[in-house]
């Protein structure tokens, strides 16, 4: 257990046992199952932890218990970390690229600013020779949750080409992706798009929702009709960020649900796969959509599937 882990690195016995700075570094770099053959934690990180928890002549067992409760211990088995690392080492070079790391964060619902991603890469790359496996362990401690990452990589074994690298990616520009639907993977990505002030509509769906799937082809066609409005889609059970948006922001109880944004503000929401309600609400709420009502009428005449109806 944790006590055995403490005493295996500490000097002294019983209540007098203490962890020195060097012992703390070794302990923090190991799990119960493995230690790497080289040191990989930055000295600055270890020093900050030591200063926070040490009292007097080192870290006691009670200090260590507090450190453990605060989640600073590395957990998991070596093969789990190797599995996660291998999934991100697309080229097989033994290194993770900035692009791949940015896409991983995006897939987990956190699209980072270019500056923040650069900072994380710089901090993780201890030897400034690329993010190797040892550097990845540091990321797992400070910025990634192993279980969440493994679950994500099980369903996404290679980086999704449609994911952004960071918030400076071209898909966040006001004129980007007009005429088509952009799938977003978290609140940071969504907020970056609606934050530019352009008119936008968000379709909230869930993987189990049949009406959501049935409405999807229509939604894609409406994106082509209302070509001056940004059409977005978010899957409410994809990750914790998407769940938070569905539960806390939209307070969704029925899907599909739609949210309209203009000038960065939420202006209208409704739910249900109802074409008449969709057309009426989007044209009522957004000038960019109402201005294209004549074009919509022509499109509906050519494709009756798009016509206002009272279907579910």
């Amino acid at each position: 257990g944790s006590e055995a882990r403490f005493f295996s690195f500490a000097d002294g016995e019983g209540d007098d046992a203490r962890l020195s700075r060097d012992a703390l570094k070794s302990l923090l770099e190991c799990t119960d199952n493995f230690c790497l053959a080289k040191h990989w934690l930055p000295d600055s990180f270890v020093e900050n932890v030591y200063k926070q928890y040490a009292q007097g002549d080192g870290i006691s067992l009670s200090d260590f218990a507090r450190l453990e409760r605060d989640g600073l211990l590395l957990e998991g088995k070596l093969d789990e970390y190797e599995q996660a690392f291998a999934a991100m080492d697309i080229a097989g070079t033994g290194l993770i690229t900035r692009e791949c790391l940015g896409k991983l964060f995006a897939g987990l619902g956190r699209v980072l600013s270019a500056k923040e991603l650069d900072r994380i890469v710089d901090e993780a790359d201890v030897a400034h020779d690329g993010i190797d496996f040892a550097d990845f362990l540091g990321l797992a401690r400070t910025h990634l949750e192993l279980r969440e990452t493994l679950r994500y990589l099980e369903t996404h074994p290679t980086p999704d080409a449609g994911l952004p690298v960071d918030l400076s990616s071209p898909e966040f520009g006001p004129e980007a992706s007009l005429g088509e639907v952009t799938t977003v993977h978290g609140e940071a990505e969504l907020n970056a798009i609606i934050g530019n002030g352009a008119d936008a509509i968000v379709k909230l769906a869930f993987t189990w929702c049949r009406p959501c799937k049935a409405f999807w082809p229509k939604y894609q066609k409406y994106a082509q009709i209302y070509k001056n409005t940004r059409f977005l889609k978010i899957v409410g059970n994809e990750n914790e960020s998407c769940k938070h948006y569905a539960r806390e922001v939209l307070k969704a109880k029925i899907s599909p649900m739609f949210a309209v944004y203009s000038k960065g503000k939420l202006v209208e929401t409704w739910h249900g796969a109802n074409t008449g309600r969709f057309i009426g609400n989007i044209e009522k709420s957004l000038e960019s959509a109402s201005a294209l009502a004549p074009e919509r009428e022509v499109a509906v005449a050519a494709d009756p599937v798009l016509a206002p109806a009272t279907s579910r």
Side-chain angles (χ1 to χ4, degrees):
S2 59
E3 285 193 20
R5 191 168 176 179
F6 171 81
F7 284 113
S8 66
F9 288 91
D11 294 324
E13 298 180 357
D15 293 339
D16 295 326
R18 295 291 186 273
L19 288 173
S20 64
R21 283 178 176 80
D22 289 342
L24 174 66
K25 182 170 187 174
S26 296
L27 185 151
L28 291 175
E29 290 178 330
C30 298
T31 71
D32 286 333
N33 303 98
F34 72 91
C35 294
L36 292 190
K38 73 170 189 174
H39 286 298
W40 51 271
L41 273 178
D43 289 336
S44 58
F45 176 83
V46 177
E47 182 65 21
N48 287 336
V49 174
Y50 187 82
K51 286 180 178 179
Q52 183 176 351
Y53 293 93
Q55 299 186 40
D57 55 350
I59 293 179
S60 67
L61 180 59
S62 60
D63 298 328
F64 174 73
R66 195 159 50 91
L67 181 152
E68 182 182 24
R69 286 195 301 271
D70 290 343
L72 288 174
L73 298 184
L74 191 65
E75 304 292 346
K77 297 178 180 178
L78 178 60
D79 60 348
E80 292 177 325
Y81 288 97
E82 288 179 333
Q83 175 188 345
F85 181 82
M88 291 185 285
D89 178 18
I90 305 302
T93 60
L95 299 172
I96 299 174
T97 64
R98 178 188 184 279
E99 177 182 2
C100 187
L101 185 61
K103 286 178 178 288
L104 173 64
F105 278 115
L108 293 172
R110 289 181 58 203
V111 184
L112 306 175
S113 68
K115 185 177 181 180
E116 185 179 7
L117 181 59
D118 286 341
R119 178 182 61 78
I120 289 174
V121 169
D122 186 59
E123 289 178 355
D125 188 7
V126 176
H128 300 289
D129 57 356
I131 299 177
D132 59 17
F133 183 64
D135 296 329
F136 172 69
L137 292 179
L139 280 170
R141 174 189 297 286
T142 55
H143 295 287
L144 296 170
E145 201 283 309
L146 178 62
R147 300 297 171 202
E148 181 189 13
T149 302
L150 287 173
R151 284 196 300 269
Y152 173 75
L153 292 172
E154 283 177 3
T155 55
H156 302 78
T158 57
D160 184 344
L163 287 172
V165 176
D166 56 45
L167 292 178
S168 66
S169 297
E171 54 261 50
F172 295 120
E175 304 303 321
S177 301
L178 291 175
E180 61 185 29
V181 180
T182 299
T183 300
V184 296
H185 304 273
E187 287 182 278
E189 191 176 350
L190 176 63
N191 291 338
I193 293 174
I194 63 178
N196 63 36
D199 285 352
I201 182 169
V202 180
K203 174 180 181 280
L204 171 70
F206 292 90
T207 52
W208 60 78
C209 172
R210 289 189 177 182
C212 299
K213 294 175 182 177
F215 196 78
W216 173 239
K218 298 178 184 179
Y219 191 65
Q220 291 176 298
K221 290 180 179 180
Y222 286 131
Q224 296 172 358
I225 295 169
Y226 299 114
K227 55 183 179 292
N228 295 326
T229 302
R230 190 76 181 267
F231 273 62
L232 307 171
K233 174 189 173 184
I234 188 167
V235 179
N237 59 314
E238 180 177 341
N239 54 50
E240 291 304 316
S241 180
C242 296
K243 291 176 184 177
H244 180 271
Y245 177 73
R247 183 175 57 245
E248 304 299 332
V249 178
L250 295 187
K251 303 188 184 305
K253 297 186 183 300
I254 299 175
S255 61
M257 185 171 182
F258 301 92
V260 170
Y261 293 84
S262 184
K263 299 180 175 60
K265 303 293 184 181
L266 178 63
V267 296
E268 182 67 86
T269 62
W270 70 93
H271 56 75
N274 184 304
T275 52
R277 189 180 305 144
F278 183 89
I279 290 173
N281 282 333
I282 192 173
E283 292 186 5
K284 176 189 72 175
S285 304
L286 298 176
E287 290 185 11
S288 60
S290 61
L292 291 172
E295 285 84 346
R296 184 260 305 161
E297 292 175 358
V298 172
V300 166
D303 187 353
V305 170
L306 299 175
T310 56
S311 59
R312 287 174 52 202

